[in-house]
């Protein structure tokens, strides 16, 4: 293996990651919708999530990259065929220009080389496909429910058939209505100019590597292959080949080896906005790989909505807070939209936070924007850790309470 070519401090590595992730956001030219598309194309995906304690994760992640973001942008970009829904490591919005690279998974599912999470009912799938071909775009509710209830969940065979057809590429999501998918034939959704040739394994590996490193600054094979089944072996091989060819650098950070695009190191000469605070989604691209956040940011994070209430340390939906180039706090929030009230159930400071006065000022400024983003005009602070921080923050945010 070629020798390590660069050694970076943990502070330099964090700077590269944050600048590559564009959080805090960079200055952009053009309109607000174009800025949203630029963010999606740069990050390569935006994870879709259903939890609505505050604005859903896909909106939240984009708002943190584009201060002028509106929740209508995604619908517009879908309608304009600039983005599409499919699977990254999870359900996501993807740039339409990357459509060709979704075909690797679709082909594997279609040929049986990869299993669906639903059993394929081929007869029902043909029926569903025939109806959509004849009638146009349909939702799951447009099919009769012949399933059985299992606890709180309803098994709907037609929904499973729709998802199988979607995952193997015969259907696409043409829009959403009240967050419910509307499915249509792929040929009616896909722009005619899009390349639909299936990439080779090498092309797919190089795409995953370059996309990940461009958006994340530094990466390892395990991180690049995160939840992408059966990809790690050929990603590992391509990383070594690209490094040997001089297309990638090896970087040592705190004893760990990462790969980076050579141009990425130029970011070290750029300024990182440290006084701007950002309240992040648990599903933000920066945070989604928890082991990576522990290694690079010394931030041990677990989303606790899946943890029994009695065992929660920080709260149901605690939001990591980025400030001064570090993850310095987490804030459990809930928006009561009918009352226009944002609850801060629990704000917990990390031990690394020492400049509390400057942090408090930055947080109060960002909370004003965060309230507007969540359609709230009032705020209620319930609890802080440490407890003596509550009156300090309460004084700072009193001006936000109407």
């Amino acid at each position: 293996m070629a020798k390590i070519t660069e050694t970076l401090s943990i502070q330099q590595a964090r700077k590269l990651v944050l600048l590559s992730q564009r959080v805090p956001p960079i200055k952009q030219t053009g309109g607000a919708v174009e800025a949203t598309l630029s963010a999606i194309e740069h990050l390569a995906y935006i994870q879709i999530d259903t939890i609505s304690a505050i604005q859903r994760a896909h909106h939240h992640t984009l708002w943190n990259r584009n201060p002028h973001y509106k929740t209508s942008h995604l619908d517009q970009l879908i309608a304009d065929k600039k983005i599409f829904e499919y699977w990254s490591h999870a359900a996501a919005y993807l740039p339409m220009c990357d459509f060709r690279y979704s075909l690797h998974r679709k082909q594997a599912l279609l040929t049986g080389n990869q299993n669906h999470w639903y059993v394929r009912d081929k007869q029902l799938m043909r029926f569903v496909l025939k109806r959509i071909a004849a009638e146009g775009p349909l939702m799951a509710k447009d099919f009769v429910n012949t399933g059985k209830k299992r606890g709180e969940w309803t098994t709907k065979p037609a929904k499973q058939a729709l998802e199988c057809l979607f995952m193997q590429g015969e259907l696409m999501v043409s829009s959403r209505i009240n967050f419910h998918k509307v499915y249509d034939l792929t040929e009616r959704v896909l722009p005619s100019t899009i390349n639909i040739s299936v990439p080779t394994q090498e092309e797919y590996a190089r795409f995953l590597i370059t996309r990940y490193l461009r958006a994340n600054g530094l990466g390892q094979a395990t991180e690049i292959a995160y939840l992408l089944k059966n990809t790690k072996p050929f990603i590992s091989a391509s990383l070594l080949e690209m490094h040997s060819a001089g297309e990638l650098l090896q970087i040592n950070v705190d004893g760990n080896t990462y790969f980076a695009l050579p141009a990425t190191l130029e970011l070290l000469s750029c300024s990182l906005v440290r006084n701007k605070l950002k309240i992040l989604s648990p599903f933000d691209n920066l945070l989604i790989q928890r082991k990576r956040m522990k290694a690079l940011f010394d931030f041990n994070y677990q989303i606790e909505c899946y943890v029994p209430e009695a065992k929660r340390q920080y709260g149901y939906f605690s939001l990591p807070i980025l400030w001064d180039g570090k993850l310095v706090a987490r804030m459990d929030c809930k928006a009561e939209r009918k009352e226009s009230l944002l609850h801060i159930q629990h704000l917990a400071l990390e031990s690394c936070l020492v400049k509390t006065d400057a942090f408090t000022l930055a947080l109060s400024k960002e909370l004003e924007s965060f309230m507007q983003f969540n359609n709230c005009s009032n705020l209620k602070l319930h609890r802080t850790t440490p407890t003596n921080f509550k009156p300090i923050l309460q004084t700072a945010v009193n001006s936000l309470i109407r």
Side-chain angles (χ1 to χ4, degrees), residues 53-54 331 333-336 340-344 367 370-371 374 376-382:
I54 58 168
M331 184 171 68
C333 288
K334 182 179 180 181
E336 281 194 67
S340 190
L341 177 62
L342 179 70
H343 292 274
I344 300 178
L367 277 171
F370 190 68
M371 288 167 62
N374 283 281
C376 292
S377 57
N378 286 291
L379 181 150
K380 185 172 183 180
L381 176 61
H382 294 263

Side-chain angles (χ1 to χ4, degrees), residues 10 13 66 74 130 142 208 228 239 283 285 288 351 385 394:
I10 196 73
N66 176 12
L74 288 171
K130 187 175 180 180
D142 295 316
L208 293 175
L228 299 175
L239 281 169
F283 302 103
N285 297 49
I288 199 62
S351 59
T385 300
Q394 187 67 66

Side-chain angles (χ1 to χ4, degrees), residues 2 16 18 27 35 44 58 63 92 140 151 167 199-200 211 254 265 271 274 298 316 340 359 368 379 387 400:
L16 286 184
L18 294 175
K27 292 182 179 179
H58 38 285
W63 176 74
M167 287 300 298
T200 65
R211 274 300 207 186
D254 200 25
L265 294 192
S271 297
R274 294 182 176 274
D298 194 26
Y316 175 82
S340 190
F359 167 78
E368 185 171 11
L379 181 150
T387 55
L400 307 178

Side-chain angles (χ1 to χ4, degrees), residues 67-354:
H68 303 292
Y69 175 76
K70 304 293 183 185
T71 58
S72 60
H73 288 182
L74 288 171
D75 289 338
Q76 182 175 339
L77 289 171
I78 285 281
D80 293 343
K81 301 186 178 184
K82 300 291 187 181
I83 63 173
F84 70 104
E85 285 194 37
Y86 195 60
W87 201 260
S88 178
H89 71 274
Y93 291 103
L94 306 171
M96 188 64 81
C97 59
D98 291 346
F99 177 82
R100 178 178 179 236
Y101 297 96
S102 71
L103 298 175
H104 191 273
R105 179 192 290 264
K106 291 171 180 174
Q107 190 73 10
L109 289 166
L110 187 62
T111 58
N113 291 328
Q114 185 172 325
N115 293 328
H116 285 276
W117 45 77
Y118 294 131
V119 175
R120 289 195 295 180
D121 183 333
K122 293 184 179 180
Q123 182 177 356
L124 182 56
M125 288 165 67
R126 286 194 294 270
F127 168 75
V128 165
L129 206 57
K130 187 175 180 180
R131 271 199 62 185
I132 291 175
E135 300 175 35
L138 295 174
M139 293 187 285
K141 71 175 186 176
D142 295 316
F143 295 86
V144 176
N145 183 359
T146 59
K148 298 179 180 179
K149 284 192 175 182
R150 297 177 180 174
E152 296 181 355
W153 299 92
T154 301
T155 302
K156 192 169 187 179
K159 172 64 174 176
Q160 295 182 4
L162 285 164
E163 281 298 294
C164 285
L165 290 163
F166 167 71
M167 287 300 298
Q168 67 188 36
E170 294 175 83
L171 295 179
M172 291 182 70
V173 175
S174 60
S175 64
R176 281 184 180 250
I177 299 176
N178 297 325
F179 205 56
H180 296 289
K181 292 178 182 177
V182 179
Y183 301 86
D184 200 359
L185 301 180
T186 292
E187 57 264 34
R188 294 201 293 230
V189 176
L190 197 64
S192 59
T193 55
I194 291 294
N195 184 348
I196 56 171
S197 61
V198 179
T200 65
Q201 186 169 278
E202 181 183 359
E203 287 177 313
Y204 184 50
R206 292 176 67 89
F207 166 79
L208 293 175
I209 290 167
T210 54
R211 274 300 207 186
Y212 184 90
L213 295 180
R214 189 182 71 174
N216 294 279
L218 307 167
Q220 301 171 324
T222 301
E223 296 169 347
I224 297 167
Y226 177 67
L227 295 184
L228 299 175
K229 193 173 181 180
N230 303 324
T231 62
K232 186 179 176 182
F234 62 82
I235 285 174
S236 297
S238 290
L239 281 169
L240 296 179
E241 290 171 5
M242 292 173 74
H243 177 239
S244 296
E247 297 175 76
L248 299 178
L249 300 176
Q250 275 191 330
I251 310 291
N252 181 284
V253 180
D254 200 25
N256 295 314
T257 301
Y258 295 87
F259 290 91
L261 297 167
T264 297
L265 294 192
E266 296 173 12
L267 293 174
L268 289 173
S269 63
C270 299
S271 297
L272 176 66
V273 179
R274 294 182 176 274
N275 61 352
K276 178 66 174 174
L277 181 145
K278 297 307 296 182
I279 301 163
L280 302 175
S281 165
F283 302 103
D284 192 285
N285 297 49
L286 173 68
L287 293 157
I288 199 62
Q289 296 195 42
R290 313 306 191 202
K291 289 182 180 179
R292 176 179 167 89
M293 285 299 98
K294 177 61 179 171
L296 290 173
F297 285 82
D298 194 26
F299 189 69
N300 192 14
Y301 180 68
Q302 178 186 20
I303 186 170
E304 295 182 333
C305 56
Y306 308 116
V307 175
E309 185 173 359
K311 295 184 178 181
R312 291 174 192 154
Q313 182 179 359
Y314 299 106
Y316 175 82
F317 203 60
S318 66
L319 312 174
I321 296 179
L322 175 71
W323 179 71
D324 195 27
K326 300 184 288 289
L327 292 160
V328 297
R330 55 195 95 197
M331 184 171 68
D332 181 34
C333 288
K334 182 179 180 181
E336 281 194 67
R337 295 170 180 86
K338 290 183 179 179
E339 289 75 22
S340 190
L341 177 62
L342 179 70
H343 292 274
I344 300 178
Q345 313 277 26
H346 183 201
L347 175 71
L349 306 183
E350 295 290 300
S351 59
C352 66
L353 179 60
V354 291

